[in-house]
Amino acid sequence: MVLLPGPGADAGRRRPQLIQCFGRFRFAPDYECGLIELDPGAVCLRGQRGEAAGEHALAIEKALAGITNQLSALQRKLQIREAELKEAHRHVAGLEEKLLKLKEYRRELKLLKKERRLLRSSAERRVGQVLLAPYRIPEKLAKTVWKKVRKPKSATASEYQKWFERHRPSVQDLERMRDEARKFALRPLISVITPVFDTPVQWLEEAVQSMLSQVYENWELVLVDDGSTNNELLHLLPRLAARDQRIVIAGLGKHGGISAASNHGLALARGEWVAFLDHDDLLEPDALFQNVSVLQKDSCVDLIYSDEDKLTEDGLGSPILKPDWSPDFFLSCNYLCHLIFLRRQLICDVGGFHSDLDGSQDYDLLL
């Protein structure tokens, strides 16, 4: 008796069941019957006299079933690999075709360059330049005049600049904020730390003046000289300290980098809250006020950040308007940046800044 698996049948699973079933009727598999060419899942059964097919035949069938399953899995993998190989061949063929086109383009480009060199050195071109020269003079003159008479970009304020001026606090607004700040329930000391290294004198003076203009008055400015060599700057630092007792001057003695200077400033800071101001940055007069105002509503916050802008010759025109707290965005880039208010104790708890990460030390600290 020959049993053939039907379409879609799992021969590896069915064979042991069939052997066991027909074994009850004294049929046993004949393994010498060559049916592999007919179908790998075919089985030949012969009637046996005496005892029914025993456990030995059933064990053989189970082993064969396992081998058949493994063979089927290998065949499926082989089919997948063959399909991948065909796809790879098609991809390689496509690349070879593109390479041939590029080589052809390269040959054409060489020919065009050769023709251009011949044309540029030809007598016809020289004659044409002589004939066209009178017509080119008015064109050049028009371009020169246009450059002189056209309005510079700074003459026309952008929509953003107009919006900013409309919302910028007036003198009366600033006076009102100053009075309000003096009545705050929470008036923490804000330590503003500014590392200084060969800063242009004008920039540093403007940065310090922006601090002196703050309507919130409970602050200290710690200027840390990071081994500057500019004599004009070195003479300016003590004069800045003389302007206001809230300005503290410190020095590292040698250049240690922005992290070392910032850590030195942290060691000298007395405020519960710390802000970092670059030596070429400016603060709006209400900057500290706006941050301390947040504490009046929620005294448990640990970090406050704000929008920023870039100051150019044309004024403010590159605003960075930041979203609410976004962990995903922050892991992509340090969008907090300037101006940041932090509790000083938190910075001390994480060990301050790391000098080996100068340039991204603030991002590392916040992370």
Side-chain angles (χ1 to χ4, degrees), residues 73-86:
L74 290 174
Q75 287 176 338
R76 287 193 295 271
K77 288 183 179 179
L78 180 61
Q79 291 173 353
I80 293 172
R81 296 296 179 265
E82 287 177 346
E84 292 176 349
L85 184 60
K86 289 181 181 179

Side-chain angles (χ1 to χ4, degrees), residues 77 81 84 96 118 153 187-188 206 210 229 249 274 288 361 365:
K77 288 183 179 179
R81 296 296 179 265
E84 292 176 349
E96 289 177 346
L118 293 174
K153 288 184 179 180
R187 300 188 72 254
E206 291 176 354
S210 73
T229 58
I249 305 296
V274 171
L288 300 186
Q361 75 287 341
L365 176 72

Side-chain angles (χ1 to χ4, degrees), residues 12-73:
R13 184 175 62 85
R14 289 289 294 160
R15 276 180 61 118
Q17 297 174 354
L18 292 172
I19 297 300
Q20 187 177 16
C21 179
F22 280 92
R24 298 171 187 168
F25 302 99
R26 294 188 175 88
F27 282 93
D30 183 1
Y31 296 110
E32 295 181 357
C33 182
L35 297 177
I36 294 179
E37 294 182 358
L38 180 63
D39 191 297
V43 59
C44 178
L45 299 175
R46 293 186 183 278
Q48 301 290 324
R49 294 181 180 181
E51 297 295 329
E55 295 296 329
H56 183 66
L58 187 58
I60 293 176
E61 283 302 319
K62 289 183 178 179
L64 285 175
I67 294 173
T68 303
N69 290 334
Q70 293 179 6
L71 181 61
S72 299

Side-chain angles (χ1 to χ4, degrees), residues 166-360:
R166 286 198 303 269
H167 292 81
R168 201 172 198 176
S170 64
V171 175
Q172 293 78 12
D173 292 332
L174 293 175
E175 286 302 319
R176 177 186 55 78
M177 292 177 184
R178 191 185 304 275
D179 293 338
E180 183 180 346
R182 290 170 179 169
K183 300 175 184 177
F184 277 160
L186 292 175
R187 300 188 72 254
L189 175 63
I190 308 297
S191 295
V192 180
I193 299 173
T194 301
V196 177
F197 177 68
D198 286 344
T199 310
V201 170
Q202 180 183 353
W203 292 1
L204 184 59
E205 285 188 312
E206 291 176 354
V208 172
Q209 185 57 47
S210 73
M211 281 298 304
L212 294 172
S213 301
Q214 293 300 304
V215 296
Y216 181 79
E217 300 166 325
N218 193 21
W219 55 263
E220 66 173 358
L221 175 62
V222 183
L223 298 174
V224 182
D225 176 39
D226 187 20
S228 297
T229 58
N230 185 337
N231 289 328
E232 187 179 4
L233 174 64
L234 295 175
H235 286 99
L236 173 66
L237 290 174
R239 295 203 305 270
L240 292 176
R243 293 184 186 179
D244 195 295
Q245 61 181 1
R246 294 172 294 180
I247 300 177
V248 179
I249 305 296
L252 290 181
K254 62 178 181 179
H255 182 57
I258 189 170
S259 293
S262 299
N263 286 333
H264 190 66
L266 279 170
L268 298 174
R270 298 179 296 113
E272 177 186 357
W273 285 81
V274 171
F276 296 95
L277 179 69
D278 286 352
H279 57 189
D280 55 353
D281 284 353
L282 300 177
L283 293 181
E284 284 291 297
D286 60 331
L288 300 186
F289 171 85
Q290 298 295 346
N291 284 273
V292 179
S293 295
V294 175
L295 298 179
Q296 310 308 308
K297 302 173 185 176
D298 186 357
S299 61
C300 295
V301 297
D302 295 320
L303 183 149
I304 306 172
Y305 63 94
S306 59
D307 296 333
E308 60 182 286
D309 204 340
K310 304 298 181 185
L311 184 62
T312 66
E313 294 179 355
D314 297 330
L316 298 171
S318 301
I320 301 177
L321 306 178
K322 304 169 187 177
D324 289 339
W325 172 238
S326 172
D328 292 335
F329 189 23
F330 177 66
L331 291 176
S332 302
C333 66
N334 181 16
Y335 76 91
L336 304 185
C337 212
H338 308 293
L339 180 69
I340 299 176
F341 269 52
L342 282 165
R343 290 190 186 272
R344 181 167 59 89
Q345 188 57 47
L346 288 179
I347 304 176
C348 296
D349 289 344
V350 299
F353 295 96
H354 298 287
S355 294
D356 54 344
L357 295 173
D358 277 0
S360 58

Side-chain angles (χ1 to χ4, degrees), residues 67-118:
I67 294 173
T68 303
N69 290 334
Q70 293 179 6
L71 181 61
S72 299
L74 290 174
Q75 287 176 338
R76 287 193 295 271
K77 288 183 179 179
L78 180 61
Q79 291 173 353
I80 293 172
R81 296 296 179 265
E82 287 177 346
E84 292 176 349
L85 184 60
K86 289 181 181 179
E87 182 62 28
H89 283 316
R90 285 195 294 269
H91 183 64
V92 170
L95 292 176
E96 289 177 346
E97 184 179 355
K98 290 181 180 179
L99 181 60
L100 291 175
K101 289 182 179 180
L102 289 174
K103 289 181 178 179
E104 183 64 26
Y105 294 154
R106 185 179 180 183
R107 285 194 294 268
E108 293 178 0
L109 182 61
K110 286 183 177 180
L111 292 174
L112 289 173
K113 287 182 177 180
K114 184 177 180 181
E115 291 178 5
R116 187 183 66 175
R117 286 195 297 270
L118 293 174

